[in-house]
Structure formats: C-alpha cells, structure tokens
Amino acid sequence: VFMSGFNFVFVDQVLPRSNARLRNLLIDIGRKKPTFELQEQVINEVPPSQYFLRANRIDANTGRLHEVTNNDVGGDDPRRIIYADSGLMAYAEGQKDLSLRLYDGSIHQYRPVDPMGFQLTYFRVNDIRVKNVFDELQRNTSEAVRGDREMSTCEMLEVIRDADREAIEAAHDRNALLQSDLRALLALPPLPEADSLPAPGPLPAYCGWMQRLQELVLPTTAEAQAPAQSGAGSGQAATAPARPRTGGLREPPLSNWSLTATALDRAQDAERRAARYAVEVHKKWAISTACMSFVIIGIVLALRFPRGGIGLVIGGGLLVFSVHYIGLTAGESLADRGYVSPWAAMWTPNIVLTVLGILGIIRVSRESGSTRGGDFQEVLDALRHLWRRLRQRQSSVRLGLRKPA
C-alpha cells in the first residue's frame, strides 16, 4: 500500500512536470540548433536568418544533401532561390555559423526594388555561410501546451469536464434544431430558450487537497483578476435573443443540415477526447495499485515454491509483468478506439491478477507445508506432464477415429 501511494504521487505529480519541462527544453534546443530538426522533403527554416532549406534526402551522419532548394528572402538584399544537385552541410569554425557547399546548380535572383530585373547564374560549386546559427541557448519562460503525458489527474479531469460540457451543449443544439424544424413544419410558435444547461459534476476532493498542498510546497503565481464588467456575481447566464415569430402564410426557413452534422461531430469529438483522457486517469491509478496485485501473486509463488530460488523470482516476475503490461497496452488501444470503457480497459489486468492471487492463496492455505512442492523445476515438470497427456489424448482420438475404417 505504501508503494502504491508513493508510485501514484510520482506518476501523478512528478512525472507530468518532468515531461513538460523536458518538452520545453527540447523545443528550446531545437530552436537554438535547427540543424538537429532538419527533415527530408520539408521546407526547414534556419533561424535567426531568413534562409529556408529543403532537401529530398539528408544523411545525418555525413551531412550530405541531395536535390537541395535554398530560399533567401532576407531584408532588402536580392532575393535568391538556389537549386543544387547535392551539397554538404557542416559547422564552421567557432561552432556558430552554418556552412553549406552546394554542387551543380543555379541561382535565380531578383531585387524587390526592380521587379522587372532577373538574373540567372549557373555554378559548379557555391559556398553559403549562415551566421550566428548557434547562439546562446534562450529558454522560453511561457508555458507550452500540455498533452495527456504532461498533465496531472486533476488537470485531465478538468479537460474531461470541459469535454462533457461540450457534448451536452452539442446534444442540446441538435435537440433545439430538431424541435425548431418540427414546430416550424407544424406551424407552431417556437419554444422559449432554455435558461441553462446541466453542468457536469464537481471535481473530487482529492484535487482540492492537492491544490492546497501545492500552494504550501510550490511557488505560486499571481492570477489575473476578473473584470468588473463580467457580471460574475449576478448569478444569471447570458441568453441569446429570441427569434422573431413568423406569422401569416410565410413559411419559416428550416435549419441547414450542416448545422446538425456539425453538432453531431462536436459531440463525437468531445466523447472521444473525454474517453482518451479518462484512459490516462484510470491508467495512473491502475499502474499504482498494481503493486498490491503483484504482491498477492508473489505471496502465492513463494508459498507454493518455497525453494524456487532466483529462477522463480526472475521467471515469475517477468511472466506477471508481461501479462499486466500486455493487458494494459491492449486495453488502452481498445479504449481509445471506443470499443470498451476506459474503466474496464485499465482495471481488467489488475482485477484478473488479484482474483488469481486470491484463489491461489485459498488453494495454498489448504495444503500442508510438505505438499507445497519445492523449486521452479516442478513447474516445468508439470508443464511437460500436461503436454504429454494432451499428446496422448490426441493420439487416442485419432486411433478411435481410424478404428471403424
């Protein structure tokens, strides 16, 4: 239980913050050294200059480029587009400038002040030097957008609440469109606008405890105050003005099918987003509580094979971990696609291992110490014996089928 609690705190608080800081650091490094991020068949920007480099093939080991296109659009200087059959990319002396040597190409050049003038130059070898590419590392202090791997449980629960609220709004919009069309066809007056929609449930008390704990441990930042014109204390939600009623013989227009399709897509997207984050929330709890399931299985193996040795420890541990990992991975994939619920997908491996462990403890407790067996070799002997029995049964079935002939 102690290990489960410690593991959950690490997975829920330490790991997401570390992943977020690592992601920001990699972004800053990629911004400082863009050659690390050069991709094939993509227009790559080389900051701080206004060079844009594209190559069909890039050899990261030798710096060899094939079928290169280089765009120079900086400042008031002549604009150049350079095409080359191949080239080499390397660091210049001082490790601050980027050196490009291009082979067998052409330079298309013109001046913005003289758009009618155009110059075409062919070359065998062309050396280009981009200055101050490798400058000091500048860390970005703004918070980047976090994914599910960089969010805690409470942050993901907030995302799930927003997704549920969006799904409720989409369902309400679809229902309103349907009722509006039906009442328009039946020449009935439109219904009044609903005051408010049912809001999702509140966050668990755990989130409040963690928030107070973070305020005590971590440094806090000032939050922006709500403007006085927002009307937050009025307690009334803003409602859209009612649509004018159509009278006489004039037929009111029906809603467009695109509005209904958009509302349906919004609801489906919100459900998928809520399910994806719910999988991550259940995964954090399932991985943490798996410690107790592993301990129960370990008790059964230790009592059943008291002289198992290191072979039982390694073999049994790998077997139990493999079963849990495969079940968790397969369940995550099924839950993300909407085939099973997130709760069932993440908790099924723990439930299966716990049930097997409890049944094993019940069976082992009924045996005496002398009949529990010895080492891990007994497991192998039992498997061989079971395999021989299956082979004998299959051979007897074949003989029984051939006997009438």
Side-chain angles (χ1 to χ4, degrees):
V1 173
F2 174 78
M3 282 301 301
S4 296
F6 175 80
N7 192 17
F8 178 76
V9 172
F10 178 82
V11 172
D12 185 49
Q13 298 296 326
V14 180
L15 186 60
R17 298 176 186 273
S18 301
N19 289 337
R21 296 185 64 179
L22 175 61
R23 182 181 180 183
N24 294 337
L25 178 61
L26 293 178
I27 292 175
D28 295 337
I29 292 176
R31 188 182 296 111
K32 175 180 180 291
K33 297 185 177 181
T35 52
F36 288 167
E37 301 294 330
L38 289 181
Q39 300 180 6
E40 296 180 349
Q41 302 181 4
V42 174
I43 299 177
N44 301 275
E45 182 180 3
V46 184
S49 64
Q50 294 185 354
Y51 274 87
F52 296 88
L53 180 67
R54 181 185 183 276
N56 285 347
R57 286 185 297 166
I58 299 176
D59 191 348
N61 296 326
T62 61
R64 189 78 179 180
L65 309 176
H66 298 274
E67 299 181 13
V68 184
T69 302
N70 186 11
N71 295 271
D72 182 9
V73 294
D76 297 332
D77 296 335
R79 307 293 175 87
R80 290 184 293 267
I81 301 178
I82 305 174
Y83 301 94
D85 176 74
S86 60
L88 288 174
M89 177 179 62
Y91 304 154
E93 296 181 0
Q95 301 295 320
K96 289 186 178 182
D97 299 340
L98 179 64
S99 178
L100 292 175
R101 173 164 291 184
L102 304 180
Y103 301 98
D104 298 328
S106 60
I107 302 175
H108 301 251
Q109 177 177 314
Y110 74 96
R111 294 180 179 274
V113 296
D114 185 15
M116 301 301 295
F118 183 80
Q119 183 179 354
L120 176 60
T121 306
Y122 295 94
F123 62 86
R124 290 292 183 89
V125 179
N126 185 15
D127 290 329
I128 301 175
R129 190 162 187 168
V130 184
K131 295 183 178 181
N132 297 326
V133 172
F134 302 99
D135 204 349
E136 293 184 358
L137 177 64
Q138 297 180 359
R139 298 303 308 273
N140 188 11
T141 57
S142 61
E143 186 70 20
V145 179
R146 291 192 177 189
D148 52 4
R149 304 290 183 178
E150 294 92 19
M151 300 175 68
S152 63
T153 299
C154 297
E155 293 172 343
M156 288 191 291
L157 289 177
E158 288 283 356
V159 176
I160 295 174
R161 286 187 61 188
D162 295 339
D164 292 340
R165 186 183 298 108
E166 185 176 350
I168 293 174
E169 292 176 355
H172 174 75
D173 293 342
R174 290 184 61 198
N175 189 23
L177 292 173
L178 176 61
Q179 292 185 5
S180 176
D181 291 344
L182 290 177
R183 298 184 71 87
L185 293 174
L186 297 175
L188 297 176
L191 292 175
E193 294 287 342
D195 294 337
S196 60
L197 297 177
L203 295 178
Y206 161 79
C207 296
W209 302 338
M210 292 303 302
Q211 181 65 28
R212 288 191 290 268
L213 182 61
Q214 292 177 9
E215 292 176 356
L216 294 176
V217 177
L218 300 178
T220 58
T221 57
E223 298 181 356
Q225 298 180 357
Q229 293 83 0
S230 62
S234 60
Q236 297 179 356
T239 58
R243 293 178 297 181
R245 299 184 181 180
T246 58
L249 298 178
R250 185 180 178 183
E251 181 180 358
L254 299 179
S255 61
N256 193 354
W257 169 249
S258 61
L259 298 177
T260 305
T262 301
L264 179 61
D265 293 339
R266 285 171 49 203
Q268 293 177 352
D269 180 72
E271 291 175 358
R272 287 193 295 265
R273 186 168 65 254
R276 184 173 69 252
Y277 281 92
V279 167
E280 296 297 327
V281 171
H282 287 290
K283 184 197 295 186
K284 291 179 183 292
W285 289 96
I287 291 178
S288 301
T289 56
C291 300
M292 294 182 284
S293 302
F294 293 163
V295 167
I296 295 176
I297 296 293
I299 292 174
V300 176
L301 294 177
L303 293 178
R304 182 63 179 81
F305 308 101
R307 294 185 298 275
I310 192 64
L312 176 65
V313 174
I314 297 177
L318 289 177
L319 178 61
V320 174
F321 175 77
S322 300
V323 170
H324 186 270
Y325 179 78
I326 293 174
L328 204 66
T329 305
E332 181 180 3
S333 178
L334 294 175
D336 288 340
R337 298 178 183 180
Y339 294 129
V340 294
S341 64
W343 184 92
M346 294 293 100
W347 288 98
T348 297
N350 289 21
I351 294 175
V352 171
L353 292 178
T354 303
V355 170
L356 292 178
I358 293 175
L359 294 178
I361 289 179
I362 294 175
R363 182 174 179 179
V364 169
S365 62
R366 295 177 179 176
E367 299 177 356
S368 60
S370 59
T371 59
R372 288 178 182 173
D375 53 10
F376 194 65
Q377 185 65 29
E378 185 179 350
V379 179
L380 301 179
D381 295 339
L383 293 176
R384 294 193 188 98
H385 180 67
L386 179 60
W387 174 253
R388 287 196 297 268
R389 290 184 57 183
L390 293 176
R391 292 288 300 273
Q392 292 176 0
R393 183 176 300 177
Q394 291 178 358
S395 59
S396 62
V397 170
R398 293 176 181 175
L399 294 175
L401 292 176
R402 296 177 181 176
K403 187 175 182 180

